[in-house]
Amino acid sequence: MRSLPNNPFIPAYRIILSNTCHLVFRCPYCDSRHLHGCGDGKLEQWRVSHCIHEKSELRCRNIRLLCVGEVASERMLPRFGLADLIEFNRVFGALKK
Ligand SMILES: [Zn+2]
């Protein structure tokens, strides 16, 4: 059973690595960091998930990265759990309607 809506929002953080802007988040399914390009710099960026964890709901799905801040180092990346991600999508999805 899926817990997340189609095209779920994922809170992500801007980080500069080797003079290049990326959006990064710590994945609640595999606990890895998933790194994507910043694109055109808009707060919402559509991407295809990099998660390959066999039980991940994000696996092979379109996601919408939502830039919620910036970190200077990957060590500063906050963790969010699956329950947080589901609630984030419920609240933010309702706000966007
Ligand atoms: Zn993952």
Side-chain angles (χ1 to χ4, degrees):
M1 189 181 90
R2 279 188 171 180
S3 308
L4 293 173
N6 288 334
N7 312 314
F9 291 101
I10 311 288
Y13 293 81
R14 198 178 296 120
I15 188 170
I16 305 297
L17 299 170
S18 302
N19 291 321
T20 303
C21 180
H22 299 275
L23 290 172
V24 64
F25 65 96
R26 187 176 299 283
C27 180
Y29 290 98
C30 67
D31 204 40
S32 300
R33 66 178 179 84
H34 293 313
L35 199 66
H36 296 263
C38 279
D40 60 9
K42 290 182 178 164
L43 287 185
E44 182 182 331
Q45 296 283 328
W46 285 73
R47 294 290 183 273
V48 175
S49 172
H50 292 165
C51 193
I52 57 171
H53 190 279
E54 64 183 17
K55 293 187 176 169
S56 176
E57 277 190 84
L58 301 180
R59 188 175 175 168
C60 299
R61 287 181 71 183
N62 289 324
I63 56 175
R64 287 180 279 182
L65 297 177
L66 193 67
C67 182
V68 295
E70 184 168 328
V71 292
S73 154
E74 292 174 30
R75 286 178 302 170
M76 296 170 65
L77 270 181
R79 276 195 168 77
F80 51 89
L82 183 55
D84 298 321
L85 189 58
I86 291 167
E87 181 66 359
F88 181 83
N89 274 273
R90 187 188 68 76
V91 171
F92 195 74
L95 287 175
K96 287 220 37 163
K97 285 179 183 163

